[in-house]
Amino acid sequence: MTRHIRHAAVFCALLLLALLVNAARVQVVESSAYDDNPANRRDSIARYGRPRGDILVGGAPVTGSRDTREQLRYERTYRDGPLYAPVTGFASQEYGTTFLEHAEDDVLSGVDPLLAPFPLWSDMTRGRPAGGDVVTTLNRRAQEAAYAGLRGRKGAVAAVEPATGRILALVSSPSYDPALLSGNDAAAERAWARLNGDPDRPMLNRAVRQTYPPGSTFKVVTAAAALDSGMITDLDEPTDSPAPYTLPGTTTRLTNEGGGCEDAPLRVAFEWSCNTVFAKLGVDVGLARMSRTARAFGFNDEGVRIPFSVATSTFDTSLDRAQLALSSIGQYNTRATPLQMAMVAAAVAGGGQVREPYLVERKTRRGGATVATAGSRPLRQVMYPSTALRLRELMEDVVREGTGTNAAIPGATVGGKTGTAQHGIGNAGTPYAWFVSWARGDRDMEPGVAVAVVVEDGAADRGEITGGGMAAPIARRVMEAVLRS
């Protein structure tokens, strides 16, 4: 009898050992396979089992969480969803996350180790802290002014603080309500199909993910290259520029919208946006110098993140002289995001220096304790301070008596540059209206805001599309909102 008991005990021990070995195999060796299995809903249930942290603008949340009492319990909600969609993106149970909801997902969902006051204890208990909050750099009034100014027309606005790189406004139009995609029901599926099928592409973030030919606003870069190189030393000296200008090596003649551009000094050419003067300037400066200057402003930089990625603004570095002439007036292959052109204006406003743009000021635990801050951003020398000083003067002339008078603000000093960018095969597309600018309150030591606006209004009459007429008033509203706040 004892022998039979002993055999049974050994057999049970072997069974227990086999169970432990199999448990170790499942939990250690094959854990990743089970974690990645689409049928495993444990992570999703845990992820949506508690409220998500919030994204804050001006100290107030623009996101929230709604208790559905279902298995995936909490859905994301948005306050003024279309206004902030280019910043927040969406957090969907079905379609994932975008923009800040994606870039800061670890903090918002509560899995970031920084949120755990006792990391070792959390690891042992496998507990998850409450989702943290993300505090943005946005200026609520500036964001609202930009959105209202576009009035649903296709376009975008980006505004930054020159001294710090803080993004004050980031608007894309037309927009959408991210809350439509939060759940996993049939309504979210219909909204997803409708938004992706909309020819106006409301989910496209035109402020940072769309590049445009910058047109005459790029003449700020060309002027900086000419002044830095010493090719132009006197703003009021004739430039020996023919009008029309025959592109080098071709029979193509470049013309101007208005007269008075032949041999025009840089001051006059900038004020009235003479294509012929700046095209010739770009050729005279040369491809190497133009490429270096464009790169210093931020063109061809593929690593810009704010913290989500930004489309690369480009200046072609393999041009012949005719192509260089067109690129120097913001045409041919030259492309820029509105955020990039806001940084161009910020470099002028900042005395030739510019800081990398950023959108997140700090990250906090649910109770408000800060766990991470933006810190000081890298400073880049774009041009000589003397060059920036003269470009400020030129941009002020544009607003005071040139093509940008619609951007003037009483009680403030404003500098700007208009642009009307041709595009399409044979330039047959409806032009884009651009305006880049900066503003300084009369009581301020330095400019407090730099703005870029682009409007792609296909419904407007081609002859009525101008940067000064369509884009400058929007920039003025944004600058006023910042200066008054």
Side-chain angles (χ1 to χ4, degrees):
M1 186 68 179
T2 304
R3 183 168 56 87
H4 294 300
I5 293 174
R6 188 167 56 249
H7 288 171
V10 170
F11 181 69
C12 288
L14 290 174
L15 289 177
L16 179 61
L17 179 62
L19 182 64
L20 292 174
V21 169
N22 187 60
R25 178 184 64 83
V26 170
Q27 296 182 21
V28 178
V29 179
E30 298 184 8
S31 61
S32 60
Y34 286 108
D35 285 341
D36 297 336
N37 192 315
N40 181 7
R41 292 173 58 83
R42 291 181 62 193
D43 185 64
S44 294
I45 292 171
R47 179 184 182 86
Y48 298 108
R50 62 180 62 200
R52 191 170 171 84
D54 287 323
I55 297 171
L56 278 63
V57 175
V62 297
T63 59
S65 296
R66 180 174 69 89
D67 190 350
T68 65
R69 304 292 180 182
E70 297 177 359
Q71 189 178 51
L72 302 183
R73 185 167 176 177
Y74 287 94
E75 286 183 4
R76 196 57 149 165
T77 61
Y78 295 88
R79 182 178 302 170
D80 296 322
L83 174 63
Y84 294 107
V87 174
T88 63
F90 60 76
S92 170
Q93 295 178 350
E94 185 71 22
Y95 303 109
T97 54
T98 58
F99 300 128
L100 276 188
E101 293 276 29
H102 180 75
E104 302 296 346
D105 183 64
D106 283 357
V107 171
L108 296 167
S109 63
V111 301
D112 193 312
L114 292 173
L115 298 175
F118 306 105
L120 291 177
W121 176 255
S122 297
D123 288 343
M124 291 175 59
T125 61
R126 303 179 79 70
R128 177 181 292 189
D133 295 337
V134 174
V135 181
T136 71
T137 60
L138 292 182
N139 180 304
R140 182 182 294 273
R141 292 183 180 179
Q143 186 81 0
E144 292 171 348
Y147 189 77
L150 284 170
R151 301 198 308 274
R153 294 173 294 179
K154 285 184 187 178
V157 179
V160 299
E161 187 176 66
T164 63
R166 297 171 69 244
I167 296 175
L168 303 176
L170 205 65
V171 169
S172 178
S173 178
S175 189
Y176 72 104
D177 188 354
L180 297 173
L181 305 174
S182 293
N184 58 6
D185 56 7
E189 186 176 342
R190 289 193 299 270
W192 178 259
R194 176 174 54 80
L195 290 169
N196 280 283
D198 191 328
D200 288 337
R201 305 174 70 190
M203 289 199 294
L204 172 64
N205 190 337
R206 290 173 164 85
V208 296
R209 292 284 175 86
Q210 177 74 7
T211 60
Y212 302 86
S216 292
T217 59
F218 190 79
K219 291 171 183 174
V220 175
V221 179
T222 304
L227 289 166
D228 262 4
S229 68
M231 182 159 294
I232 298 290
T233 57
D234 186 344
L235 299 181
D236 298 300
E237 183 179 337
T239 54
D240 189 24
S241 304
Y245 171 59
T246 302
L247 299 181
T250 74
T251 58
T252 302
R253 301 205 310 171
L254 184 67
T255 59
N256 301 293
E257 291 294 327
C261 288
E262 185 172 2
D263 295 332
L266 186 62
R267 186 187 305 278
V268 174
F270 195 91
E271 187 175 328
W272 297 105
S273 205
C274 294
N275 288 334
T276 52
V277 173
F278 282 92
K280 183 176 182 296
L281 264 183
V283 172
D284 292 344
V285 167
L287 179 59
R289 167 70 76 166
M290 282 296 300
S291 297
R292 284 199 303 272
T293 302
R295 173 73 185 187
F297 273 100
F299 286 81
N300 299 332
D301 184 353
E302 299 178 356
V304 179
R305 302 188 67 85
I306 59 171
F308 48 82
S309 63
V310 176
T312 304
S313 298
T314 56
F315 181 83
D316 198 334
T317 58
S318 59
L319 303 168
D320 62 29
R321 297 175 76 227
Q323 294 164 345
L324 177 58
L326 293 175
S327 296
S328 299
I329 59 172
Q331 299 290 164
Y332 191 61
N333 285 343
T334 305
R335 308 278 300 188
T337 63
L339 179 60
Q340 171 60 56
M341 295 313 297
M343 298 309 296
V344 168
V348 176
Q353 294 181 327
V354 66
R355 291 193 183 273
E356 294 294 327
Y358 68 99
L359 186 57
V360 174
E361 195 74 76
R362 64 184 184 277
K363 307 169 193 178
T364 71
R365 295 193 181 99
R366 179 54 60 91
T370 298
V371 296
T373 59
S376 180
R377 307 294 287 181
L379 185 67
R380 187 169 66 244
Q381 188 70 43
V382 175
M383 64 192 114
Y384 294 133
S386 58
T387 295
L389 187 63
R390 287 190 282 182
L391 279 174
R392 275 202 202 184
E393 186 180 335
L394 294 177
M395 294 181 77
E396 289 175 33
D397 289 344
V398 169
V399 174
R400 184 170 51 249
E401 56 190 15
T403 56
T405 54
N406 283 334
I409 300 173
T413 301
V414 180
K417 183 70 189 78
T418 56
T420 306
Q422 309 291 336
H423 66 99
I425 299 175
N427 291 334
T430 303
Y432 301 136
W434 275 95
F435 192 73
V436 300
S437 59
W438 52 264
R440 176 179 61 82
D442 283 352
R443 296 182 179 180
D444 300 327
M445 294 294 293
E446 295 294 337
V449 58
V451 181
V453 178
V454 63
V455 180
E456 41 172 317
D457 191 351
D461 182 82
R462 186 182 181 93
E464 296 177 355
I465 297 175
T466 64
M470 298 181 71
I474 301 173
R476 183 191 68 239
R477 294 178 67 165
V478 175
M479 293 185 292
E480 283 181 320
V482 174
L483 295 180
R484 289 176 180 174
S485 62

